[in-house]
Amino acid sequence: MERGADGDSARSAPATGRPRRDWLLPGVAAAFLIAALFSTGVVVVVQEVRRHEAEGRAWQLASAVAHDFAERLDRSLSASYALATLVRQGQGRIENFDALATEMIRVYGGISALQLAPGGTITQVSPLAGNEAALGFSPLNDPKQGPETRRVIAERRLGLTGPFELRQGGVGVVGRHPIFLPDEQGREQFWGLTQVLIRIPDLLAATRVNALVEGGYAYELWRFRPDDGSRHVFASSGGNLAGRPVEVQIPVPNGHWTLSIAPVRGWLAPLDIAVGGVSVIVFSLLVAFAVYLLLRQPHLLRREVERQTEALRASEAQYRALFDNNPLPMVVYEPRRQFILDANRAFLAGYGFAAETLRAMRLPDLYPEEERSRLADYFAELSPGLQRCGEWHLRGKDGRVVDAEVTVLDVVYEGRRARLMLAEDITERKRAEAALRLQNSWLKSVLTHFPGGVSVVDKNLRLVEWNEEFRRLLDFPREMFTAEPCTIEDFVRYNALRGEYGDVDPDAYVAAAMERVRQNVPHHFERTRPDGTVLEVRGTPLPDGGFVTSYTDITERKRAEARLLAANQRYEELNAELEARVAERTQRLAAEVEERRLAEAAVRQSAEWLREIIDTMASGILLWDHAQRLAAWNEAFKRLYPHSTDLLRVGVHRDELRRGMEERGDVLRSDDAGSDWERIGEWERVLPDGRIVRIERLATSEGGRLVLQTDITDLRRTKEVLARNERMASLGNLVAGIAHEINTPIGNALMVASAMGHRIAEFDAALASGPLRRSVLDAFVNSVRESDDLLERNLLRAANLIQNFKQVAVDQTSDRRREFDLATVLEEVRMTLLPRLKHSPYRLDLESEVGLRLDSYPGALGQIVTNLVENALLHAFDGREAGLIRVRARALPDARVEIVFADDGNGIPAELLPRVFDPFFTTRLGKGGSGLGLSIVLNLVRDLLGGDIVVASMLGEGTRFTITLPQKAPLQADAAA
């Protein structure tokens, strides 16, 4: 037989045409350049993002340092106001200036010297040591300080001059406050200046600027000179700032300073730049290598085609041998008239024809009569080339009809067009397929009616067979079975994500589980699902890979094992009876007897294990039957009630056991909650020795009761200690704020009292010297009146702060119950929180109905508001320049009140909202958050005040806490306290 003429001519024709251009090297070079440009752009973008992140961290640190610097500078400059007041009271004179100045330097802090400059010339300095060069100096006439000094006088307000080189040495700034006194006609005339000298090194040493150096930053503190606008650096860490520094402005009187910082080693580490460059080169080389392999493939294909062509030319002589010796039945026929031209040995042997007989036949003669009608139409419409014709019936010489799978191919036979037909006998294969389909239907029927769940996975661990009971037992959604086959890993991950295996890391658990599965060994274990269902899982490896696994619901069996604890004797008798029956059985039941014996051994072992588990539990357990008689107990119950252990026996009545425990002092006689047999649920019991026991009573399926008793004394004491510590921590913050706030009015009162003493001494001297003039008396009376007004206002403010602090402190450190006005308590708490909010951009607004009287615990209520405010300041306004906290209180029906605490901060993510009241849960661990604030709020509201609290929040829209309280706290809250 010969190949087709077209194919021969195509192979024999020599390759013609123009030689192809080799694009291998240019393509590789272009790919390398494009990849290098792309990866370089990616690396540059990544480095820029890192630089922006580093600048953000540096800006936060610089802002904190600048804020601290500005506060300390403002506090030091405020001494000039007090000094100016003394000058006005003394009508331009201050007696004992050195003593007063020394006291003011100590009170205000951060001041190097205080100066008086009548007429603009310095005449008094304190301390004088080291500042002698400043005496007689006139800043008005100084070419450098003159313009700023004259501007301060013109604007009649505190001004800051400098920094500049001090006459007494060093660099510093001077805060100047102009003083104007009335003359005899009542017109104000310039008297002079009060000056506060602050040395820049001393001011920097008192701030947190060293945190910049410790953090690896270099810094410069500078300003623009007011005379020429040039940049004046007056403090730095040394050296120039690398790259583009981060700048934060510090507001000062009549201007601002700028703090610039930059990392010493630059914003980007040299190692990161080197790694980026190496990454660009490696990525470009990999892309170039991939393009090289892609462009090289056509060369390899052309060589392979040439080699195959040579092989085909060399094998022409083998075609006939392949045809004759092919094990598949093959026949060649003429397409138009369908005469049979040739057949191979396999066809002649399989169908029983002789070669001469077959050549005298036509193709339809090989088919049964019923198929010849469609045969002519089918083969007449066949397209050229290889065609798979499907299954047909062929008839052998002996009349036997066989099933054959027919494939035809156009060929050239002895120089003319012909068709080669392969007729593979598939009769046995179809019989095997029919038997396999029958077996599969049986298997599916078995799977459908199998009492347990069954799953089959292939060697790739994909689910290929299952039954509905498998899906129901494991509660998988139907969507996992309708799309592409899921793998074992998909099912394990689904269970891990929905908490089927407890609180585990899903990725780590899935990795460990798949490692065990890939060991391909038999497995047998039991698993308890979250709903209490107990499943027995048995897995057997398949020969070709994969597993067949069965899942049996043994929940009832497990419950039966639990009931065996109270019926061991009955099962022993049953076991003896079963053993007697086993002895009488015939040999053909030996397998069944052995299986039952193993099952009973497993039941006994399970009962022993269950007994050991129950005895090792920390909670005491009592099991009562429906007649209220004791059926079982564990060792923990004996440890819980050691004096009543000898009363425990099977069958003892519940009332009898209770009376015995009361007589021995293990329980109180007044405990009526536990005497009600119908009561189901949880409650707490206080034992005579002070221990607190949580009791949980459950109903059994037989009408009995299962009672769990747990000692929660240590847990309750721990919660009380945590709540007490949190209150003391809040009180500590309150003390620090109040001390800072009281310092200013007390200091002012002290200075006014000192000045008043000097005025009285002067008045005594004037009185002793002779007749007293009216002008002197008027001046003295006016001075006394002004001093009395200042002294009264400052002392009144201090007294109010101390009174509010005293009331709040007493309330917050004790659980004293009393009647109080809600608006008054909330206002007292707000006053104590003002120092905390004074130097922050956040406000606290309070609005409460007047006349709301509560019989409750004001200390707990104050701690609740304090904790909510601290929580808002710590979490709600992170990254915000301003914020508002609103507290609203109003009356509700049924003798209740509602307190709404709301802020306009960042809000709480939805996934974190259910956990905000959990103990020790915080998103600011290590940054001031302990995780106990809101947990203590929840306990105080519900346990002590007898109310409830709910929280609502949306990201970007703030958080709202709504507290509902009874106007009279419940009595059990007092007892628990």
Side-chain angles (χ1 to χ4, degrees), residues 36 47 72 146 283 294 484 498 508 511 554 568 673 681 767 786 826:
Q47 297 289 6
R72 293 185 179 275
F283 176 76
L294 184 63
E484 290 294 326
R498 67 175 175 175
I554 60 172
N568 284 333
L767 187 62
E786 181 179 358
L826 292 178

Side-chain angles (χ1 to χ4, degrees), residues 60 90 353 398 412 472 554 596 602 694-696 743 830 860:
Q60 292 179 352
F353 292 102
D398 57 0
V412 176
R472 188 192 65 79
I554 60 172
R596 179 163 297 186
R694 178 187 291 120
I695 299 177
E696 181 179 4
N743 187 42
R830 188 186 73 85

Side-chain angles (χ1 to χ4, degrees), residues 448-570:
T448 302
H449 297 88
F450 188 73
V454 178
S455 66
V456 181
V457 297
D458 60 14
K459 62 182 179 181
N460 296 320
L461 302 182
R462 291 177 301 186
L463 185 68
V464 295
E465 288 292 344
W466 69 91
N467 63 354
E468 178 61 22
E469 188 67 10
F470 164 73
R471 189 200 67 78
R472 188 192 65 79
L473 284 177
L474 278 79
D475 194 22
F476 289 126
R478 296 187 182 275
E479 293 76 10
M480 298 185 71
F481 301 88
T482 56
E484 290 294 326
C486 294
T487 64
I488 291 294
E489 182 174 354
D490 297 330
F491 289 103
V492 174
R493 185 175 298 279
Y494 178 84
N495 276 341
L497 291 176
R498 67 175 175 175
E500 190 81 11
Y501 308 120
D503 187 12
V504 298
D505 179 16
D507 293 333
Y509 186 88
V510 171
M514 295 310 298
E515 182 66 24
R516 294 194 298 271
V517 170
R518 294 189 181 95
Q519 294 177 2
N520 202 35
V521 295
H523 52 270
H524 175 211
F525 59 90
E526 295 177 0
R527 182 164 73 83
T528 302
R529 299 194 62 240
D531 60 359
T533 304
V534 183
L535 300 180
E536 181 183 40
V537 183
R538 294 180 180 270
T540 304
L542 298 176
D544 297 332
F547 278 91
V548 58
T549 308
S550 65
Y551 304 85
T552 306
D553 187 349
I554 60 172
T555 306
E556 291 301 325
R557 191 179 81 187
K558 288 297 181 181
R559 292 174 180 169
E561 291 174 359
R563 291 193 293 270
L564 285 177
L565 295 175
N568 284 333
Q569 184 62 36
R570 182 167 60 87

